[in-house]
C-alpha cells in the first residue's frame, strides 16, 4: 500500500504515485513537484492536491514570492530609485541639448546630439525595471519569471550604456568638426580619409554592440533561471562579453582618431572617466562568463558582486554623462558665443588699424600740411601772355 504514495516535506504530505508518474511529475529534494511545465510547492502550509487529470488545486506556484525581502531586494529598490532619478535628469538634459537655436544644417543634424540622451533614457529605464524585479528574486522558492526579467534587464544595461558613451564621444568629435567648419568652411572636406573613417566607425561599433546584445539576451532563459552552470558559462555568453570589449575598443580608437584630426586644445574629462568606469563592468562580464563562481546569473551569487561590479559602474557612467550635460552649454548657443567672440576680436583689430587715406606709399603715416607748405610744393605757373603778371595758383 505504501508503494501507491509519494511523500514530500519529510513525509508530512503524500500524493498519489500513479497520477504523478502518469503526468511526469517528480518530487524534488527542495519539496517542489514539477514536470517542467508546471511547478508547485509542497511543504509547510502549502498543501496542493493533484486530481486524476493531472491538474492541481489549492496549489502555489514555485515562482510565487513566499519569503521575506532580503539584501538583494532592498539594494534593488535603492538602485531602482537612483535609476529613476537618472531617468528624470536624462529627460532634462535632452530638453536642454536637444533644442536648436540655429538654422538646420544637413551636415550636422540635430538628432545627432540627441542620441546620447536617448541612450541614457533607455539605460535608466531598463535599470529601473531590473532594480524593482530584483525584489522577488530572493523571495521566490524557485527562480522563475522575476529572476528572468531581473537578469535580462540587468544585462541590457551594458550595451545601452556603451551606446551612450559612444554617442557622447562621437558627438564631441562632431562638435569639434562643426566649430572648425563654422570658422573656415573649407577646413574639413567631406570626401577625404577622415570622413570615410567616421562613416565606418559607427557601423563597426554598433555591429559589435548588437552581437553582444544578441548573444546574451535573445536566447532561452529557463535553464539560466535554474542556475545551470553549463549554460551560464557557455560559448554564447563568453562571445558576448568579448564583443562588448571590442565595442569598447572601437570607442577608444575613434576617440584617438578624432584627437589626431581635430587637434583640440583640451580633452573633456568625461570621455576617459566614462571609458574607465564602463570597462569595470565589461571586465566583470568577461569574468562571469568564464568563471561560474562569480557569475552574476547564479542564484547563490553574492549581491555585492552584481551591485558593486555590475550596477555601480553603469550608474557612475550615467552620472558623469548627466553632470557634464548639466555643466556644458547647448551646442548652438556655444557656437553663437564663439562667433560673437571672433567678431569682437575682428572689430578690435579693425579699430586698431590706421586709416588708409592717412598712410603714404612707403607705409608711413602722412602728416597734415599747412597752406604755405602746399603752395610751396607746387611748381611755378608759366607766363603764357608775357605780361609778367604771374600769380601763384591758389
Amino acid at each position: 500500500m505504501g508503494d501507491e504514495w509519494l511523500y514530500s516535506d519529510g513525509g508530512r504530505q503524500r500524493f498519489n504515485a500513479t497520477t504523478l508518474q502518469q503526468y511526469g511529475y517528480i518530487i524534488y529534494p527542495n519539496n517542489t513537484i514539477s514536470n517542467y511545465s508546471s511547478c508547485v510547492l509542497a511543504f509547510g502550509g502549502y498543501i496542493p492536491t493533484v486530481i486524476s487529470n493531472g491538474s492541481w488545486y489549492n496549489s502555489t506556484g514555485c515562482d510565487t514570492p513566499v519569503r521575506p525581502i532580503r539584501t538583494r531586494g532592498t539594494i534593488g529598490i535603492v538602485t531602482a530609485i537612483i535609476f529613476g532619478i537618472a531617468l528624470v535628469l536624462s529627460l532634462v538634459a535632452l530638453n536642454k541639448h536637444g533644442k536648436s537655436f540655429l538654422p538646420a544644417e544637413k551636415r550636422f543634424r540635430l538628432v545627432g546630439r540627441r542620441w546620447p540622451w536617448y541612450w541614457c533614457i533607455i539605460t535608466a529605464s531598463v535599470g529601473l525595471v531590473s532594480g524593482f524585479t530584483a525584489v522577488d528574486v530572493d523571495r521566490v522558492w524557485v527562480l522563475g519569471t522575476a529572476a528572468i526579467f531581473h537578469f535580462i534587464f540587468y544585462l541590457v544595461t551594458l550595451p545601452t550604456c556603451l551606446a551612450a558613451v559612444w554617442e557622447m564621444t562621437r558627438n564631441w568629435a562632431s562638435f569639434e568638426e562643426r566649430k572648425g567648419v563654422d570658422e573656415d568652411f573649407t577646413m574639413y572636406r567631406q570626401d577625404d580619409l577622415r570622413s570615410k573613417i567616421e562613416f565606418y566607425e559607427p557601423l563597426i561599433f554598433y555591429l559589435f554592440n548588437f552581437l553582444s546584445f544578441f548573444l546574451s539576451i535573445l536566447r532561452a532563459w529557463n535553464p539560466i533561471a535554474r542556475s545551470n552552470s553549463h549554460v551560464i558559462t557557455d560559448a554564447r555568453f563568453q562571445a558576448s562579453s568579448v564583443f562588448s570589449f571590442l565595442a569598447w575598443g572601437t570607442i577608444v580608437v575613434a576617440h584617438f582618431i578624432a584627437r589626431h584630426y581635430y587637434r583640440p586644445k583640451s580633452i573633456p574629462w568625461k570621455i576617459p572617466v566614462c571609458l574607465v568606469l564602463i570597462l569595470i563592468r565589461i571586465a566583470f562580464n568577461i569574468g562571469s562568463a568564464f568563471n561560474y563562481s562569480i557569475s552574476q546569473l547564479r542564484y547563490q551569487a553574492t549581491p555585492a558582486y552584481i551591485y558593486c561590479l555590475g550596477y555601480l559602474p553603469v550608474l557612475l557612467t550615467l552620472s558623469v554623462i548627466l553632470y557634464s550635460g548639466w555643466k556644458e552649454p547647448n551646442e548652438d548657443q556655444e557656437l553663437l558665443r564663439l562667433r560673437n567672440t571672433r567678431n569682437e576680436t575682428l572689430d578690435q583689430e579693425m579699430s586698431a588699424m590706421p586709416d588708409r587715406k592717412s598712410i603714404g606709399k612707403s607705409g608711413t603715416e602722412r602728416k597734415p600740411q599747412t597752406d604755405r607748405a602746399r603752395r610751396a610744393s607746387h611748381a611755378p605757373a608759366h607766363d603764357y601772355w608775357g605780361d609778367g603778371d604771374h600769380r601763384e595758383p591758389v
Side-chain angles (χ1 to χ4, degrees):
M1 186 71 178
D3 293 337
E4 297 179 0
W5 302 96
L6 294 176
Y7 296 86
S8 70
D9 195 16
R12 286 183 284 272
Q13 297 187 26
R14 67 178 186 175
F15 304 90
N16 185 287
T18 303
T19 304
L20 293 184
Q21 293 171 0
Q22 180 181 357
Y23 293 99
Y25 285 107
I26 299 175
I27 299 179
Y28 288 91
N30 63 349
N31 296 317
T32 62
I33 304 176
S34 173
N35 64 352
Y36 288 97
S37 62
S38 64
C39 179
V40 297
L41 302 179
F43 64 91
Y46 308 102
I47 308 174
T49 302
V50 62
I51 57 181
S52 58
N53 63 359
S55 59
W56 298 87
Y57 70 89
N58 193 32
S59 62
T60 302
C62 295
D63 58 352
T64 303
V66 295
R67 292 172 169 173
I69 190 171
R70 297 184 180 179
T71 304
R72 185 195 299 261
T74 304
I75 302 177
I77 294 175
V78 176
T79 303
I81 293 173
I82 297 174
F83 272 118
I85 296 173
L87 175 61
V88 175
L89 296 178
S90 299
L91 293 171
V92 173
L94 175 62
N95 180 64
K96 174 184 177 180
H97 294 274
K99 289 182 179 179
S100 177
F101 297 91
L102 291 172
E105 301 177 61
K106 185 178 180 180
R107 187 170 178 178
F108 304 102
R109 298 183 181 275
L110 182 61
V111 71
R113 54 185 141 120
R114 290 177 175 175
W115 267 114
W117 312 112
Y118 289 153
W119 283 117
C120 286
I121 291 171
I122 296 173
T123 303
S125 300
V126 296
L128 177 69
V129 175
S130 181
F132 278 125
T133 53
V135 174
D136 289 338
V137 173
D138 289 335
R139 296 186 64 204
V140 298
W141 193 256
V142 177
L143 293 184
T145 305
I148 291 175
F149 276 104
H150 170 63
F151 291 138
I152 285 178
F153 285 104
Y154 161 77
L155 290 176
V156 172
T157 56
L158 177 57
T160 56
C161 190
L162 262 176
V165 176
W166 158 256
E167 290 295 340
M168 176 194 67
T169 307
R170 180 209 55 78
N171 184 64
W172 164 77
S174 176
F175 188 50
E176 291 296 321
E177 178 187 5
R178 190 182 181 193
K179 288 189 292 186
V181 171
D182 190 69
E183 187 173 354
D184 181 3
F185 186 78
T186 62
M187 183 175 294
Y188 301 114
R189 296 170 52 187
Q190 292 184 274
D191 57 351
D192 56 356
L193 179 61
R194 175 197 57 83
S195 60
K196 293 178 181 178
I197 292 175
E198 290 184 347
F199 175 79
Y200 287 106
E201 283 174 350
L203 300 180
I204 297 173
F205 168 79
Y206 280 109
L207 173 64
F208 289 148
N209 209 31
F210 173 76
L211 288 174
S212 173
F213 172 84
F214 175 79
L215 292 172
S216 62
I217 307 300
L218 305 180
R219 56 182 300 161
W221 274 87
N222 284 329
I224 300 173
R226 301 187 189 101
S227 298
N228 189 316
S229 61
H230 299 290
V231 178
I232 291 175
T233 58
D234 66 1
R236 291 192 60 169
F237 275 119
Q238 293 173 358
S240 172
S241 62
V242 172
F243 278 123
S244 295
F245 179 74
L246 292 177
W248 178 87
T250 305
I251 301 176
V252 175
V253 172
H255 172 63
F256 280 101
I257 290 175
R259 290 175 60 175
H260 169 72
Y261 280 107
Y262 301 122
R263 301 189 181 280
K265 296 180 180 178
S266 61
I267 306 299
W269 61 273
K270 61 181 181 180
I271 296 178
V273 171
C274 287
L275 288 173
V276 171
L277 290 173
I278 201 63
L279 182 60
I280 298 174
R281 167 66 184 273
I282 294 173
F284 179 53
N285 268 32
I286 294 175
S288 299
F290 287 88
N291 188 348
Y292 178 75
S293 63
I294 63 171
S295 174
Q296 70 270 27
L297 303 180
R298 208 165 47 96
Y299 173 70
Q300 303 86 355
T302 304
Y305 282 149
I306 191 171
Y307 286 110
C308 294
L309 299 177
Y311 283 106
L312 187 59
V314 173
L315 284 171
L316 293 177
T317 302
L318 283 180
S319 300
V320 170
I321 297 175
L322 293 172
Y323 178 77
S324 62
W326 173 64
K327 294 290 290 184
E328 295 172 356
N330 178 283
E331 282 190 13
D332 284 357
Q333 292 178 325
E334 178 66 10
L335 209 61
L336 289 171
R337 186 190 67 81
L338 293 175
R339 289 180 184 178
N340 292 334
T341 302
R342 288 197 301 269
N343 291 337
E344 290 175 0
T345 303
L346 184 60
D347 290 343
Q348 292 175 0
E349 292 177 353
M350 293 294 293
S351 62
M353 293 177 60
D355 191 358
R356 293 182 59 186
K357 294 182 179 180
S358 63
I359 300 178
K361 293 183 179 180
S362 61
T364 59
E365 187 176 356
R366 290 179 176 175
K367 295 182 179 180
Q369 295 179 331
T370 60
D371 292 342
R372 183 183 299 274
R374 285 201 300 270
R375 286 196 299 269
S377 64
H378 286 283
H382 182 71
D383 185 8
Y384 290 101
W385 305 103
D387 55 2
D389 186 9
H390 168 65
R391 296 182 181 177
E392 293 182 356
V394 179

